[in-house]
Amino acid sequence: MIKSVANPDYFIGCRESRVVLVNNSDPDVNSLCRLRIRHGLYGTGTVSLQHDTSGKYLYRALPDSSNNEYITVISSGNSDTTIEDQLRSSFNIIDGIALYADTQKYDSISIQCSPIKSEINSREYKYISVDMNNSSIIAKSMANESKMQQMQTYVLVDYNDYVAMSESSNNKISKPDSEFTIPKPTPGVSTPDMLARIGINSNNN
């Protein structure tokens, strides 16, 4: 599960075709927010994020009329899946853009979108970001202001620990406090290698 640093009571979740923030008090938070880290659909060095309940993958949609690129979901393996679709469903997990307030206890991550077309040459990467206007998740360029950087920063939360804690409190879901510690990435270390160091197998888990 992926918890927002800017909004610690919220997780990234999927409601039908929309990817949104889900409050941890939502009775369906477990099914809505359970994401699996897979090998990137585009190829080596990337990961894809699969919604456990629907089997669909997080996807960076084409810009809308306001030039917003919302994160939605897409099925994988369809005959009409293009290379660009695979790119839009593949990401890199990097060190958190914002300095997480509780750095003594946890490290944080940011999720970088695979570059598309002109972004490859310009190196103007986009990141999965919280859009607080409508609780949606959107792809945006790296923020410069501290508060906005927090909206591009997250913490991975262990699903099994979260469920155990919820059940032990008579199904009253409280703020999780059992989280993965994400090691600081080193130059040349790929996303899968980084995940392996914290016990996540991007092949099957």
Side-chain angles (χ1 to χ4, degrees), residues 3-109:
K3 183 177 79 168
S4 168
V5 163
N7 303 275
D9 292 328
Y10 287 81
F11 295 87
I12 292 179
C14 299
R15 292 187 187 275
E16 298 178 353
S17 63
R18 298 182 63 219
V19 178
V20 297
L21 285 180
V22 179
N23 192 284
N24 66 5
S25 64
D26 190 305
D28 296 321
V29 64
N30 291 333
S31 61
L32 293 173
C33 301
R34 205 177 341 165
L35 299 172
R36 290 181 179 270
I37 298 175
R38 302 290 195 187
H39 269 315
L41 296 177
Y42 182 67
T44 303
T46 64
V47 299
S48 292
L49 302 172
Q50 185 181 34
H51 183 226
D52 194 56
T53 303
S54 67
K56 295 184 177 181
Y57 288 81
L58 269 62
Y59 177 81
R60 173 186 170 188
L62 293 168
D64 64 11
S65 58
S66 300
N67 208 34
N68 293 318
E69 295 181 78
Y70 287 101
I71 304 298
T72 60
V73 291
I74 187 174
S75 299
S76 172
N78 294 338
S79 58
D80 58 349
T81 299
T82 65
I83 291 177
E84 183 166 325
D85 285 336
Q86 294 169 7
L87 265 174
R88 290 181 176 275
S89 302
S90 299
F91 306 90
N92 287 291
I93 293 180
I94 65 170
D95 196 25
I97 294 171
L99 182 64
Y100 189 27
D102 197 0
T103 51
Q104 296 301 312
K105 192 172 182 181
Y106 309 121
D107 286 325
S108 56
I109 64 164

Side-chain angles (χ1 to χ4, degrees), residues 115-125:
I116 307 233
K117 296 180 180 177
S118 61
E119 296 170 357
I120 296 174
N121 294 327
S122 66
R123 300 184 68 83
E124 293 180 359
Y125 300 119

Side-chain angles (χ1 to χ4, degrees), residues 158-171:
D158 181 75
Y159 169 75
N160 293 322
D161 289 347
Y162 182 74
V163 170
M165 181 171 49
S166 302
E167 292 175 346
S168 66
S169 59
N170 296 320
N171 293 322

